[in-house]
């Protein structure tokens, strides 16, 4: 009788152990079944964003612009380059720089727009002008024009910023009465021209 009782206890313990093992395996299988789905959804989201970015980049590359390449290149002409292309892309399309080209006066990294003109000067053509050193030229081959306030006419003086007929007449009157201007700062002695007006004028006037 005692032996039978012990067997019942062992059987109960064995059933309890088997039940625990089954529960553990069942929960583990449920967790693993959901995990791939979560990972798949996350991977799908990232992949979708990356594909969208690549698609936008590809569309930008597929867009073409027209650029007129002139000057010291091997084959001047109008060329198609990708949207957002730089000056060196247009030069490459034109066969590259001519041996006579002076690349110190062009910005090879300059971004080009549709319908733009890229001019490459020849050696000696830009004599007297400083090289760009990577900066975009304001106007190739054009020197800044200044007005000689000792000799300018009424009309030339009126071309200056803030100078109308009255002030132009006052400038002419002053130089006639005082024998001309010694320095550009002397223009502040003219009635109606103060420090603020001078700041706007000083880059565009000269005395000779």
């Amino acid at each position: 009788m005692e032996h039978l009782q012990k067997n019942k206890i062992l059987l109960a313990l064995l059933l309890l152990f088997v039940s625990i093992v089954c529960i553990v395996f069942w929960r583990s299988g449920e967790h693993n079944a959901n995990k791939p789905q979560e990972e798949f959804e996350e991977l799908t989201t990232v992949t979708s964003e990356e594909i969208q970015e690549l698609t936008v980049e590809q569309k930008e590359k597929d867009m073409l612009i027209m650029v007129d390449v002139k000057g010291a290149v091997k084959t001047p002409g109008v060329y198609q380059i990708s949207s957002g292309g730089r000056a060196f892309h247009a030069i490459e399309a034109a066969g590259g720089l001519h041996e006579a080209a002076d690349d110190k006066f062009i910005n090879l990294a300059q971004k080009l727009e549709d319908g733009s003109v890229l001019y490459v000067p020849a050696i000696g053509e830009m004599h007297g002008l400083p090289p760009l050193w990577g900066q975009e030229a304001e106007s190739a081959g054009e020197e800044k024009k200044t007005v000689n306030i000792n000799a300018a006419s009424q009309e030339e003086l009126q071309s200056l910023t803030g100078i109308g007929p009255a002030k132009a007449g006052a400038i002419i009157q002053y130089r006639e009465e005082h024998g001309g201007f010694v320095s550009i700062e002397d223009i502040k002695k003219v009635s109606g021209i103060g420090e603020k007006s001078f700041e706007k004028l000083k880059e565009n006037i000269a005395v000779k």
Side-chain angles (χ1 to χ4, degrees):
M1 187 72 179
E2 185 179 352
H3 181 70
L4 182 61
Q5 186 70 24
K6 287 182 179 180
N7 286 339
K8 288 182 177 180
I9 294 172
L10 289 173
L11 181 61
L13 291 174
L14 180 61
L15 290 173
L16 178 61
F17 175 75
V18 171
S19 298
I20 292 172
V21 170
C22 290
I23 291 171
V24 170
F25 273 101
W26 177 75
R27 289 189 175 182
S28 176
E30 185 181 33
H31 175 72
N32 290 334
N34 292 330
K35 188 175 181 181
Q37 179 66 23
E38 294 173 357
E39 291 179 349
F40 176 75
E41 290 176 356
E42 182 179 354
L43 181 61
T44 303
T45 302
V46 173
T47 303
S48 176
E49 291 174 353
E50 290 177 347
I51 290 174
Q52 187 175 3
E53 290 178 1
L54 290 172
T55 302
V56 171
E57 291 178 0
Q58 188 60 44
K59 284 182 178 179
E60 290 179 350
K61 289 180 180 179
D62 290 342
M63 292 176 61
L64 298 176
I65 61 174
M66 305 289 285
V67 179
D68 188 4
V69 187
K70 299 178 180 293
V73 291
K74 292 182 179 178
T75 314
V78 177
Y79 292 92
Q80 287 185 332
I81 63 172
S82 298
S83 176
R86 307 285 175 167
F88 73 90
H89 291 128
I91 291 173
E92 287 177 356
L97 292 172
H98 191 276
E99 59 183 10
D102 195 345
D103 60 0
K104 295 192 298 296
F105 294 92
I106 56 174
N107 181 1
L108 294 173
Q110 178 185 350
K111 193 172 182 178
L112 302 175
E113 297 179 356
D114 186 42
S116 59
V117 176
L118 176 63
Y119 182 77
V120 180
I123 296 173
E125 186 176 347
M126 310 295 285
H127 178 71
L129 294 178
L132 293 180
W133 296 111
Q135 300 298 317
E136 185 175 350
E138 293 182 359
S139 55
E142 291 186 7
E143 297 182 9
K144 182 183 286 186
K145 294 180 179 180
T146 58
V147 174
N148 179 6
I149 56 177
N150 276 332
S153 64
Q154 177 98 7
E155 291 74 17
E156 289 172 329
L157 290 170
Q158 286 179 221
S159 69
L160 295 168
T161 303
I163 302 298
K167 288 183 180 180
I171 291 172
I172 293 173
Q173 182 179 353
Y174 179 91
R175 75 189 186 198
E176 289 177 350
E177 292 177 354
H178 296 83
F181 298 94
V182 177
S183 66
I184 61 172
E185 286 78 7
D186 285 346
I187 199 172
K188 291 187 288 184
K189 298 176 182 179
V190 175
S191 176
I193 300 179
E195 189 64 38
K196 290 184 178 179
S197 296
F198 175 70
E199 288 298 319
K200 297 177 182 179
L201 293 169
K202 65 181 183 180
E203 299 296 330
N204 299 305
I205 58 177
V207 291
K208 298 178 183 179

